[in-house]
Amino acid sequence: MKLKMHNRVNPNTIFSFVLFLHISLLSLSAQDLNYKTVQVNGQTYYEYNVQSGEGLYAISRTFSVSVAEILRHNPGAERGLQNGQRLLIPVTGENKGRNSDSPLNTNTSQSIRSPQSPRSSGGGQSRAQDQNTTFQHTVVVGETVFGIARMYHTTVDEIFRLNPGSREGINEGQVLTIPQRRVISQEKEENYRYHTILPKETLYSVSKTYSLKPEDVMRANPGLSVETFQIGKTIRIPFFESYEVILPYEEQTTNIIHKVGRGETLYSIARQYSVQVQEIQRLNPMLEGGLKSDMELLVPVKRSLVEDDSRSDMSEANRLLSQPAPSQRVNVMNVGLLLPFLDETKGAHLRIQEYYEGFLLAVEKMRNNGANIELFVFDIGKGEDTRKLQSLLGTMEMQSLNLIIGGVSDAQIKVLSDFSKSHNIKYVVPFSQSNAEVLNNGNMFQVNPMQYLTYTKASSVFLQTFRNAHIMFIQGGGNDKNEFVSLLQNELRRNNVRYETLNAAATFDSAILTLLSRNKENVIVPTSGDSGLLRQILDELKKVQESDPGFSIRLFGYPDWQAYNLKENYSLFDTYIFSPFFANEQSRDVEAFKTSFRKWYDRDLLETFPSYGMWGYDTGLFFLTALQRYGNNFEQNIEGMNVNSLQFPFYFERPNNWGGFINSGLYLIHYSTDGRIIKTDKSR
């Protein structure tokens, strides 16, 4: 690919970077199925008889309609399906053509295995925990009640109601009760519920419980593997009968038809199928007139006695957990950069333009390394107005992309997220920290770490580094880092590490000297990233150093400190800061990038923290390398990906089995007393 680079990039000319596109159209062949059609109130329907063990999810996929449509035309189906139940499936443009007459499914007597020795479904568990109204979630490091509520589409108040103690905070390993999702969406394949994996459960047994194929469960949980299918972990179940009460597979029944033979009695029939006489009577009101030969009776029998659960089926299902998706190498990488280039709000267009320019330098580097890239760059409008973006996504160019990078507002991200799911395209969110789409879209990658993940990892790094130090927190400056400070202090208390707290506004200048330790290094942690508080602390520490240089003093601070012109002072006190981004001005690579940027665009980078030019470069280099190296399914190898980024550490992790990836990269930066700046990647 050739990219024409201008010294100054005018956003109005960005469309000139679109070169050419080879479009491969996938031919969707209709399933070779024929069903009888009927007319009801002027509407055409397929007439379908439910098969044993079949659920609405499977039927909706067969007929390419949403379950909401099936439920709308079949009142009562939301309470569950029975073998042989008649459904009316609306004929639509997608499923039209399956209207040849064919015999309806007829339920006949089936071979029943002996109830004394039923085959195991692969579960083998006793009566399972009821997960119809609630399920359980085990808290992992860095999670908050707010984040858990967003992940499960519930509210903080609902979690507090079910877990009163969580109002005081939650801890790693704590088990929370979460309300089950009981919603039927109008959108196809947007309905699901949650299931907490129980002892002895397997992928096969869980699939059977919900009348699904194992592949359906895997498709709904792209992060599912041998390592993640573990007791206590939660998975998402593609599930449409939202109000149906689900029993464990071994307790589920299905109705079969038994033709009464000469000499048979209700008692003998019930004994044959190991059911109660009353159950047969309940399903067959005509028995009030007595039992007669050749009468056809509905009999509720255990599914496990009717269905053929072979060991090979179980093994094949469970083998899916260890089979990675096949690699799909990409010869020409079609990449879309979709951003609000013309949004001048607070100078946003200048930052977006610089991000784009940095991205282009990554494209140029990849091209020099042999990559074949087609870059499609479009302005998508601004704010919550997504009409321009939605129109753009209707083009075949967008639908043929391998990778999308873009979206700034929540509305833009939502539209792009839905598009990436429906077209199975990997989608990178470059800027947003707080959008919840990544929690429920397996194709998504969030570059900018969520703040609570950064704080959690930083508190762990602090404990590892300064466990044996004398730790002092200095309050003041608005205390805007209270979230981090509270997290860190809780971590210190859990590990029996003592600390002192001092108020900068009251007694700081007189008390600091008496509280410092001569036997340990003293680590000073302000509770604010405010520059005023930092300068006050630095001034007082300089006085201490002048009056008594015998103290070992270090400062520990925040990403904000990168923006302050105090770096020489940092070196005086052997300062450490944590940050999810950092460009080391002493690095040759950083200096080379700045020189290259100046050469291409005839100007310097904007003075922002982080640098948008390096942000674009790092993001482009990482994801283009992943796509070139591993193909469309690069997410399977993303944890081991390593590129020579300038500013961002990349370490992507899934927050759950069904969501996308969030970058949790973290640097620990040390301004040593000899003037060196040492950047250490603490992501892993």
Side-chain angles (χ1 to χ4, degrees):
M1 180 196 80
K2 284 188 177 181
L3 284 174
K4 184 179 180 183
M5 306 252 191
H6 297 278
N7 287 338
R8 289 193 179 276
V9 179
N10 185 332
N12 291 312
T13 67
I14 59 178
F15 302 99
S16 66
F17 289 99
V18 181
L19 302 180
F20 63 89
L21 175 68
H22 298 289
I23 302 171
S24 297
L25 295 177
L26 298 176
S27 177
L28 301 177
S29 57
Q31 300 180 39
D32 187 19
L33 299 172
N34 295 314
Y35 298 97
K36 180 179 178 180
T37 58
V38 295
Q39 293 278 332
V40 178
N41 296 327
Q43 167 80 45
T44 305
Y45 297 92
Y46 294 115
E47 199 170 52
Y48 182 74
N49 282 36
V50 178
Q51 304 295 299
S52 174
E54 200 169 31
L56 281 172
Y57 177 78
I59 296 171
S60 73
R61 291 180 66 85
T62 298
F63 287 93
S64 297
V65 296
S66 71
V67 168
E69 279 295 301
I70 297 177
L71 293 176
R72 187 178 299 114
H73 297 283
N74 297 271
E78 73 278 0
R79 293 189 293 273
L81 302 181
Q82 291 292 328
N83 185 17
Q85 181 176 340
R86 175 177 174 267
L87 295 179
L88 296 178
I89 311 296
V91 175
T92 67
E94 290 187 50
N95 63 26
K96 192 173 182 180
R98 301 173 188 170
N99 57 352
S100 300
D101 286 353
S102 62
L104 297 180
N105 298 309
T106 304
N107 297 301
T108 58
S109 299
Q110 301 183 42
S111 174
I112 308 296
R113 290 195 294 274
S114 169
Q116 282 73 33
S117 57
R119 299 185 197 178
S120 169
S121 67
Q125 68 270 21
S126 58
R127 181 174 179 85
Q129 172 187 334
D130 185 353
Q131 301 192 49
N132 290 291
T133 56
T134 62
F135 62 97
Q136 292 185 328
H137 171 84
T138 302
V139 178
V140 299
V141 173
E143 284 188 323
T144 64
V145 173
F146 177 71
I148 293 169
R150 293 215 296 178
M151 182 161 64
Y152 292 120
H153 295 282
T154 186
T155 64
V156 169
D157 287 341
E158 275 294 288
I159 294 179
F160 285 160
R161 181 180 67 81
L162 293 171
N163 308 271
S166 63
R167 291 182 182 275
E168 307 305 318
I170 57 176
N171 299 313
E172 179 186 4
Q174 183 176 343
V175 177
L176 299 177
T177 299
I178 309 295
Q180 186 61 266
R181 190 168 191 256
R182 297 172 73 86
V183 174
I184 297 176
S185 171
Q186 297 293 327
E187 297 181 35
K188 187 168 68 174
E189 299 187 17
E190 280 298 315
N191 294 276
Y192 45 82
R193 65 186 286 172
Y194 300 98
H195 178 90
T196 303
I197 299 169
L198 303 173
K200 298 185 180 180
E201 279 191 324
T202 65
L203 175 62
Y204 184 78
S205 66
V206 171
S207 303
K208 279 288 191 179
T209 295
Y210 294 98
S211 301
L212 298 170
K213 296 178 181 178
E215 292 83 359
D216 295 330
V217 178
M218 293 294 293
R219 191 180 299 111
N221 298 272
L224 210 51
S225 66
V226 172
E227 291 75 23
T228 59
F229 193 95
Q230 299 291 333
I231 296 170
K233 293 291 186 181
T234 308
I235 59 176
R236 191 163 71 169
I237 301 296
F239 189 83
F240 294 99
E241 301 91 327
S242 293
Y243 293 95
E244 181 183 1
V245 175
I246 295 294
L247 297 174
Y249 175 58
E250 292 292 349
E251 298 178 24
Q252 293 181 14
T253 62
T254 186
N255 295 337
I256 67 167
I257 295 177
H258 175 86
K259 190 171 184 178
V260 179
R262 184 175 298 177
E264 284 188 314
T265 65
L266 276 181
Y267 177 76
S268 67
I269 295 170
R271 188 174 181 183
Q272 176 183 346
Y273 294 108
S274 192
V275 299
Q276 298 293 318
V277 168
Q278 292 84 349
E279 285 298 300
I280 299 177
Q281 290 173 328
R282 181 179 62 82
L283 292 175
N284 300 275
M286 68 282 198
L287 287 174
E288 292 180 1
L291 185 68
K292 299 179 178 62
S293 295
D294 297 328
M295 182 180 286
E296 291 188 341
L297 301 180
L298 287 177
V299 182
V301 299
K302 293 288 182 66
R303 285 181 59 195
S304 58
L305 303 180
V306 176
E307 298 172 5
D308 184 19
D309 298 330
S310 69
R311 290 190 179 277
S312 62
D313 287 342
M314 298 177 203
S315 298
E316 186 62 31
N318 297 325
R319 195 177 296 123
L320 293 173
L321 293 170
S322 57
Q323 291 179 343
S327 178
Q328 299 176 7
R329 294 298 174 127
V330 179
N331 293 323
V332 178
M333 296 187 286
N334 294 317
V335 180
L337 190 61
L338 311 178
L339 292 167
F341 288 96
L342 306 181
D343 183 1
E344 298 184 5
T345 306
K346 297 181 180 179
H349 64 299
L350 299 176
R351 297 188 293 274
I352 294 293
Q353 178 177 322
E354 182 174 289
Y355 177 91
Y356 167 53
E357 291 166 342
F359 190 91
L360 288 180
L361 293 182
V363 171
E364 179 68 9
K365 181 180 179 66
M366 292 295 298
R367 184 184 68 81
N368 291 336
N369 290 334
N372 193 355
I373 303 169
E374 274 195 61
L375 182 62
F376 297 83
V377 183
F378 290 96
D379 174 72
I380 59 173
K382 63 181 181 179
E384 303 302 304
D385 187 350
T386 62
R387 288 173 296 180
K388 188 173 185 178
L389 174 58
Q390 290 174 326
S391 175
L392 173 66
L393 295 179
T395 65
M396 286 190 291
E397 288 91 344
M398 295 298 100
Q399 295 170 18
S400 68
L401 294 175
N402 304 109
L403 179 68
I404 295 172
I405 300 173
V408 174
S409 70
D410 286 352
Q412 292 167 348
I413 292 170
K414 170 62 175 171
V415 170
L416 287 169
S417 174
D418 290 345
F419 180 80
S420 77
K421 281 191 287 188
S422 63
H423 292 83
N424 194 27
I425 298 172
K426 299 300 182 291
Y427 170 38
V428 177
V429 180
F431 307 123
S432 175
Q433 281 184 300
S434 58
N435 192 279
E437 283 295 310
V438 69
L439 299 176
N440 292 287
N441 181 353
N443 283 327
M444 245 173 120
F445 300 83
Q446 180 175 307
V447 171
N448 206 2
M450 291 181 172
Q451 184 169 275
Y452 75 85
L453 289 178
T454 298
Y455 283 174
T456 300
K457 191 163 286 189
S459 65
S460 177
V461 168
F462 181 96
L463 182 65
Q464 294 167 14
T465 309
F466 302 114
R467 173 187 288 272
N468 298 316
H470 177 231
I471 302 164
M472 298 176 62
F473 290 93
I474 309 299
Q475 295 178 332
N479 299 313
D480 54 285
K481 301 299 182 184
N482 272 351
E483 184 180 350
F484 168 73
V485 171
S486 176
L487 192 65
L488 175 56
Q489 290 179 346
N490 287 337
E491 187 77 5
L492 294 174
R493 286 193 294 269
R494 277 198 297 270
N495 288 274
N496 298 314
V497 177
R498 295 183 59 187
Y499 61 85
E500 308 271 0
T501 301
L502 189 63
N503 193 311
T507 58
F508 180 61
D509 54 347
S510 59
I512 182 68
L513 197 59
T514 61
L515 292 176
L516 290 173
S517 171
R518 292 188 180 276
N519 303 320
K520 295 182 177 181
E521 65 175 353
N522 298 275
V523 179
I524 310 297
V525 185
T527 61
S528 171
D530 176 66
S531 62
L533 176 62
L534 177 57
R535 292 176 192 276
Q536 181 187 354
I537 292 173
L538 286 169
D539 289 343
E540 292 300 327
L541 292 180
K542 287 176 185 177
K543 293 176 185 177
V544 170
Q545 209 171 47
E546 290 172 2
S547 63
D548 193 340
F551 290 109
S552 173
I553 301 174
R554 285 181 173 170
L555 276 171
F556 184 86
Y558 305 99
D560 318 46
W561 290 11
Q562 298 176 64
Y564 306 150
N565 189 25
L566 295 168
K567 295 180 179 59
E568 291 183 2
N569 290 276
Y570 298 161
S571 294
L572 285 176
F573 297 102
D574 216 22
T575 300
Y576 285 80
I577 69 173
F578 71 88
S579 181
F581 59 87
F582 184 79
N584 190 348
E585 300 296 332
Q586 297 178 351
S587 163
R588 291 181 180 178
D589 290 336
V590 170
E591 186 54 43
F593 176 82
K594 289 183 173 181
T595 301
S596 180
F597 189 92
R598 196 177 298 114
K599 172 185 174 183
W600 279 103
Y601 304 114
D602 195 27
R603 62 177 175 81
D604 290 326
L605 292 164
L606 297 171
E607 290 189 15
T608 60
F609 295 91
S611 160
Y612 277 77
M614 294 185 200
W615 200 335
Y617 176 84
D618 284 351
T619 303
L621 186 65
F622 184 87
F623 286 100
L624 294 176
T625 298
L627 191 56
Q628 180 190 39
R629 194 178 293 174
Y630 301 113
N632 282 328
N633 295 321
F634 63 79
E635 74 277 6
Q636 298 174 138
N637 304 93
I638 199 163
E639 287 188 16
M641 271 282 299
N642 189 26
V643 299
N644 188 26
S645 58
L646 301 173
Q647 180 176 233
F648 273 88
F650 290 115
Y651 185 63
F652 286 92
E653 299 176 283
R654 286 190 192 271
N656 51 49
N657 279 315
W658 58 90
F661 294 82
I662 300 174
N663 182 23
S664 62
L666 184 76
Y667 287 133
L668 184 64
I669 301 100
H670 180 201
Y671 294 86
S672 68
T673 53
D674 61 7
R676 290 181 301 143
I677 301 175
I678 304 165
K679 180 173 73 173
T680 305
D681 191 338
K682 292 289 187 178
S683 304
R684 289 167 169 78

